Amino acid sequence: MSLETNRAIRKRASQALGRFDGQLLRISVTAIVLGGVSLFSFFVVQLLLMAVSLGVRSGRFGAGAQVMKYVYIGLALYLLVSLFVGSAVEWGLDRVMLLRLRGECADQRTLFFYRPAVFDAILLRLFLSVRVTLWSLLLFVPGIVAAMNYAMAPFLLAQNPGMGVPEAIRVSKYLMKGYKRKLLGLLLGYAGEIIISLLLVVPFIYVMPRLKCATAVFFRDRVRLHDEDLKRIQS
């Protein structure tokens, strides 16, 4: 048994999302505004914040330094919101995608389903951010490997909130053994859409759910494959 091709996974994700309606639009906008998209977006904001900070301190912006100071403050505030609010919202967004895959309805309120577990959500995002950042400081590739290793942890906790952060990290690393390259290939399949969305800003509201839902399909299939392997071993 093996996972489907990445093209088939992306197709199933598009079918699960269905038409991009008002409800999905509200979910996307809320998740993006509150920084609840993913660890990657949190990491990107960190990099932007550091770049602006270095530019302001070195005087590279010249006459625009004052404007960039406001940009720096805005990025810093957004990073804080992403940490203290977006961490739990990300779990809610993952829950939305998992429910959609089951054909169940999920609205904007689902994003805030994990408010009681906000401490665990913050702990997970801090841990993953520090680990990925440290590996990225060594070389770019180890940073990507680390990100792939931990990619399933938010989905595991969205599906099983009582699992606990350490256990979710351990299981994610186990599930991703031998599958990191496949997940990376799946995500890179959206590279063109992501680049266009970054240039035009607004389309990211459309691209983000497609990316998240494809990752949710990968997660479900990987867990199912693992369970089938266990049954074969035990029989």
Side-chain angles (χ1 to χ4, degrees):
M1 294 290 292
S2 60
L3 295 182
E4 291 182 311
T5 64
N6 286 341
R7 179 178 293 182
I9 291 176
R10 286 192 288 269
K11 182 178 181 180
R12 284 173 56 201
S14 296
Q15 291 172 343
L17 283 177
R19 186 171 59 88
F20 193 84
D21 54 15
Q23 186 177 88
L24 195 55
L25 175 64
R26 289 190 293 273
I27 289 172
S28 298
V29 171
T30 304
I32 292 170
V33 169
L34 296 178
V37 177
S38 66
L39 173 67
F40 177 75
S41 60
F42 185 76
F43 184 64
V44 168
V45 174
Q46 281 182 298
L47 292 178
L48 289 174
L49 188 65
M50 288 188 289
V52 172
S53 175
L54 289 172
V56 170
R57 292 178 181 179
S58 64
R60 293 178 183 175
F61 296 118
Q66 189 61 39
V67 174
M68 296 310 296
K69 286 181 181 179
Y70 289 117
V71 172
Y72 175 84
I73 293 172
L75 288 171
L77 290 175
Y78 184 71
L79 198 66
L80 289 174
V81 172
S82 297
L83 177 61
F84 292 107
V85 181
S87 301
V89 170
E90 181 185 355
W91 293 15
L93 181 61
D94 292 344
R95 180 179 175 83
V96 168
M97 298 306 162
L98 292 172
L99 289 173
R100 289 238 173 185
L101 289 177
R102 294 203 296 262
E104 299 179 27
C105 182
D107 57 23
Q108 198 174 3
R109 291 172 295 180
T110 309
L111 292 176
F112 304 99
F113 185 82
Y114 297 100
R115 281 181 297 178
V118 66
F119 177 77
D120 284 342
I122 293 171
L123 181 63
L124 177 66
R125 180 162 283 193
L126 277 175
F127 175 84
L128 299 188
S129 178
V130 170
R131 291 300 294 265
V132 172
T133 301
L134 289 176
W135 279 111
S136 298
L137 290 175
L138 296 176
L139 281 173
F140 185 67
V141 173
I144 294 176
V145 172
M148 294 299 102
N149 256 336
Y150 305 129
M152 298 296 100
F155 283 96
L156 286 163
L157 288 164
Q159 186 167 280
N160 307 288
M163 176 179 281
V165 172
E167 181 68 7
I169 291 170
R170 186 188 66 79
V171 174
S172 178
K173 291 173 68 175
Y174 176 80
L175 290 174
M176 292 307 296
K177 284 182 179 178
Y179 290 89
K180 290 185 280 291
R181 185 178 298 178
K182 181 167 182 62
L183 178 58
L184 181 61
L186 174 65
L187 300 179
L188 287 177
Y190 292 95
E193 295 179 38
I194 293 172
I195 292 171
I196 294 173
S197 71
L198 291 175
L199 294 174
L200 301 178
V201 182
V202 176
F204 187 63
I205 295 169
Y206 169 76
V207 176
M208 184 274 290
R210 288 161 52 79
L211 193 65
K212 292 293 287 186
C213 195
T215 310
V217 173
F218 176 92
F219 166 73
R220 279 206 355 172
D221 287 359
R222 180 66 190 95
V223 170
R224 186 183 296 116
L225 182 62
H226 172 259
D227 291 344
E228 290 175 356
D229 287 342
L230 280 181
K231 287 179 182 178
R232 280 199 301 273
I233 293 171
Q234 293 170 356
S235 63

